[in-house]
């Protein structure tokens, strides 16, 4: 059998992508470093339920014990998708593949790669005559099987050879559910960069939702039943999204062992895989203020210091929560604060995308990227269509907050947003996402910030110079501050 495509790496994501590809009529060869894993997967296909393996799909999947047999089973140009752990394992697989492939064959890295690695691999493989695609795949195990969001980048001449396959297996959106959440993103590491930004926004969204939950629980004493109803209502409005939906459902699940609600039995320490941190780190490299997502990363770090927090809670004091406002009004204020902060999060994400595009010479279509996230991925929401509309109106929009829709939404939510942030501070409840978003908004809308004093300080102690408001930009000055002192 000559396969349309091959896949290496049969962990759960890899297996589900294989099934998705076969379910859409494509023949696929599979290889895994551990042969037993491959044999167990291929041998068990006929026992899988029909909603997982469609009729006839098992016959389109072939398993191979050696890379040589695997590569020989593929149609030319050979298309090989790698789904192994990011980093050195990907390089090792590529090195094993290269002697078996021919110039013009296509290697696809579908893992959570660091975009810098993708940039490097893109250059190295082009120099050796191979075509390379680094693609983000979002949606977890279920998305991989039923339709993920796919963000491909790399060598554009490879795109026509994989377009039909990737678009057919991706999630679909639109009135007729026929718009694929997969399209070409850009050169070299652009696809993995967009996936990284997606994951960073995911960090921000999750942190904001958690802060909303925390404030409702501690300020107005909302029960899990009430929280379910609140998030149910929110999911029927402008906040409709996958994350609001699953949060709603979480409040309904009880623990069989204790009989209590399961969410209340979970230890308050959040883990992370690193992509949110990568985004924050590169924001610093680019000099762009991706503050909300960075605060979301730090919030996970602080949650991880559980033992230290328990010790501190016995020593450090703060105000007792004594909120006596209208519970219904406060809940609606939190809804608006969540929405406004979410707008800021996406605005910051797109500013960073634009800065990265300038840095690496990528030609990104910001509206198209919003559509890639409309389905299949963790941050999918109806709100993303509003982002697409904003970039349709002005492709070179400097900041989403300047779009009429976003400006109007912020204006409407702003009083509630400020009340929520003030209440959180007054009651001693941490809300780093809400407050970081509001601080960014207030800083961005000011034509003058206190950095003039900061620059004077730098010039005083380090002769770093400064610019003047009454002179052309770029012209620098230095003052001998000690000898100019008048007191």
């Amino acid at each position: 059998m000559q396969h349309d495509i091959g896949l290496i790496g049969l962990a759960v994501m890899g297996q589900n992508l294989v099934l998705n590809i076969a379910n859409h009529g494509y023949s696929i060869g599979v290889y895994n470093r551990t042969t037993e894993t491959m044999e167990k997967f291929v041998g068990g296909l006929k026992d899988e339920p029909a909603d997982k393996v469609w009729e006839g799909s098992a016959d389109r999947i072939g398993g191979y014990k050696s890379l040589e047999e695997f590569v020989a089973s593929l149609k030319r140009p050979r298309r090989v998708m790698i789904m192994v752990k990011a980093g050195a394992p990907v390089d090792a697989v590529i090195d094993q593949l290269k002697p078996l492939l021919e110039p013009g064959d296509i290697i696809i890295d579908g893992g959570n790669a660091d975009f810098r690695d993708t940039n490097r691999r893109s250059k190295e493989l082009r120099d050796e005559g191979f075509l390379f695609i680094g693609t983000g795949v979002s949606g977890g195990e279920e998305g991989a099987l039923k339709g993920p969001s796919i963000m491909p980048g790399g060598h554009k001449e490879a795109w026509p050879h994989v377009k039909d396959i990737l678009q057919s297996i991706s999630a679909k959106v639109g009135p007729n559910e026929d718009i694929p959440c997969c399209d070409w993103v850009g050169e070299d590491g652009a696809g993995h960069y967009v996936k990284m930004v997606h994951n960073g926004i995911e960090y921000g969204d999750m942190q904001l939702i958690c802060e909303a939950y925390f404030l409702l629980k501690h300020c107005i004493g909302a029960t899990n039943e009430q929280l379910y109803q609140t998030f149910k209502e929110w999911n029927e409005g402008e906040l409709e999204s996958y994350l609001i939906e699953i949060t709603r459902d979480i409040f309904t699940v009880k623990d069989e062992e204790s009989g209590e609600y399961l969410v209340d039995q979970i230890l308050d320490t959040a883990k992370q895989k690193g992509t949110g941190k990568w985004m924050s780190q590169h924001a610093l490299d680019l000099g762009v203020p991706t503050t909300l997502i960075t605060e979301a990363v730090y919030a996970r770090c602080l949650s991880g210091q559980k033992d230290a927090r328990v010790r501190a809670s016995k020593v450090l004091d703060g105000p007792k929560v004594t909120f006596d406002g209208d519970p219904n009004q406060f809940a609606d204020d939190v809804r608006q604060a969540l929405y406004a902060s979410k707008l800021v999060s996406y605005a910051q994400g797109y500013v960073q995308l634009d800065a990265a595009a300038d840095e690496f010479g990528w030609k990104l279509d910001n509206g198209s990227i919003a559509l890639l996230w409309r389905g299949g991925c963790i941050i999918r929401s109806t709100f993303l269509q509003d982002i697409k509309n904003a970039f349709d109106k002005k492709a070179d929009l400097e900041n989403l907050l300047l779009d009429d829709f976003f400006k109007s939404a912020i204006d409407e939510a702003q009083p509630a947003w400020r009340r929520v942030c003030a209440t959180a501070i007054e009651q001693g409840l941490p809300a780093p996402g809400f407050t970081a978003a509001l601080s960014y908004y207030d800083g961005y809308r000011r034509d003058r910030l206190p950095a003039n004093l900061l620059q004077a300080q730098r010039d005083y102690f380090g002769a770093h110079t400064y610019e003047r408001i009454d002179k052309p930009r770029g012209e620098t000055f230095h003052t001998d501050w000690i000898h100019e002192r008048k007191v």
Side-chain angles (χ1 to χ4, degrees), residues 169-406:
I169 70 170
S170 71
K172 308 297 188 299
V173 295
N176 301 316
E177 294 190 354
D178 58 354
I179 302 174
C181 294
C182 171
D183 205 353
W184 186 251
V185 172
E187 303 82 353
D188 299 329
H192 277 132
Y193 199 95
V194 168
K195 174 61 161 57
M196 179 187 74
V197 170
H198 162 282
N199 285 20
I201 291 173
E202 176 186 313
Y203 274 55
D205 275 3
M206 294 174 74
Q207 176 63 27
L208 293 171
I209 291 170
C210 290
E211 291 178 19
Y213 149 72
F214 204 66
L215 291 171
L216 293 174
K217 181 179 177 70
H218 290 283
C219 280
I220 62 176
T223 64
N224 287 319
E225 293 91 342
Q226 292 169 329
L227 288 165
Y228 165 81
Q229 189 61 39
T230 296
F231 278 82
K232 178 177 180 293
E233 292 171 3
W234 287 359
N235 200 47
E236 295 166 357
E238 72 276 5
L239 287 172
E240 180 187 353
S241 65
Y242 174 72
L243 284 171
I244 293 291
E245 177 185 332
I246 68 170
T247 304
R248 173 202 68 192
D249 295 344
I250 285 169
F251 292 121
T252 69
V253 178
K254 287 198 172 183
D255 175 34
E256 292 183 3
E257 182 178 339
S258 66
E260 304 294 331
Y261 281 99
L262 181 56
V263 68
D264 298 323
Q265 305 304 308
I266 297 175
L267 187 69
D268 56 318
T269 57
K271 296 186 170 48
Q272 52 187 311
K273 290 187 175 179
T275 43
K277 178 181 70 175
W278 292 352
M279 183 176 175
S280 294
Q281 288 172 330
H282 199 242
L284 291 171
D285 291 340
L286 293 171
V288 295
T290 312
T291 55
L292 192 156
I293 291 162
T294 301
E295 285 293 347
V297 173
Y298 283 140
R300 293 196 188 193
C301 296
L302 184 58
S303 79
Q305 298 181 345
K306 175 66 175 178
D307 293 341
R309 288 189 290 111
V310 170
R311 291 190 295 271
S313 69
K314 300 173 182 178
V315 178
L316 303 179
D317 294 324
K320 292 183 178 179
V321 179
T322 56
F323 182 79
D324 58 2
D326 181 341
N328 293 328
Q329 180 62 54
F330 184 71
D332 190 63
D333 282 355
V334 172
R335 174 188 63 80
Q336 294 185 69
L338 176 56
Y339 185 49
S341 300
K342 183 183 176 81
L343 299 182
V344 169
S345 180
Y346 282 77
Q348 290 184 353
Y350 271 97
V351 167
Q352 183 162 338
L353 277 177
D354 286 343
D358 289 341
E359 177 82 4
F360 299 111
W362 298 333
K363 297 178 179 61
L364 303 182
D365 184 334
N366 287 335
S368 176
I369 290 170
L371 286 187
L372 299 184
W373 297 338
R374 277 288 310 277
C377 66
I378 305 303
I379 66 170
R380 60 186 183 265
S381 66
T382 56
F383 157 77
L384 287 159
Q385 184 62 50
D386 299 318
I387 294 178
K388 174 68 164 63
N389 295 341
F391 286 114
D392 281 349
K393 286 186 290 184
K394 187 174 175 56
D396 60 348
L397 183 64
E398 184 178 8
N399 189 306
L400 280 170
L401 298 178
L402 302 178
D403 175 72
D404 289 342
F405 171 85
F406 284 80

Side-chain angles (χ1 to χ4, degrees), residues 18-183:
V18 169
L19 296 176
N20 191 350
I21 290 169
N23 286 343
H24 283 85
Y26 295 97
S27 174
I28 180 167
V30 299
Y31 171 82
N32 195 76
R33 182 171 58 88
T34 305
T35 301
E36 181 183 358
T37 300
M38 179 275 292
E39 291 178 330
K40 183 178 179 181
F41 169 64
V42 175
L45 289 172
K46 296 189 184 299
D47 298 325
E48 293 286 359
D51 64 338
K52 195 168 185 180
V53 184
W54 303 353
E55 185 176 354
S57 294
D59 298 331
R60 291 189 283 270
I61 300 171
Y64 298 90
K65 297 181 180 180
S66 72
L67 272 178
E68 290 79 5
E69 292 176 316
F70 167 78
V71 170
S73 75
L74 304 178
K75 296 176 183 177
R76 289 177 172 82
R78 301 177 182 93
R79 293 170 283 196
V80 181
M81 189 168 192
I82 301 172
M83 293 296 297
V84 302
K85 186 177 180 180
V90 176
D91 289 321
V93 171
I94 291 174
D95 287 342
Q96 292 168 349
L97 278 172
K98 287 190 293 188
L100 307 175
L101 299 176
E102 298 173 350
D105 286 343
I106 301 158
I107 297 173
I108 308 162
D109 177 10
N112 249 349
D114 187 320
F115 75 94
R116 299 172 186 85
D117 286 338
T118 307
N119 281 344
R120 170 180 55 79
R121 291 171 187 140
S122 182
K123 181 181 185 307
E124 291 173 352
L125 289 169
R126 182 180 291 283
D127 291 344
E128 296 176 79
F130 301 108
L131 296 179
F132 179 66
I133 289 177
T135 184
V137 179
S138 179
E141 299 170 12
E142 183 179 2
L145 176 64
K146 298 181 179 179
S149 169
I150 305 177
M151 297 151 263
H155 300 163
K156 191 167 187 179
E157 58 268 40
W159 175 233
H161 297 288
V162 301
K163 178 179 179 180
D164 289 347
I165 296 176
L166 295 185
Q167 289 193 334
S168 69
I169 70 170
S170 71
K172 308 297 188 299
V173 295
N176 301 316
E177 294 190 354
D178 58 354
I179 302 174
C181 294
C182 171
D183 205 353

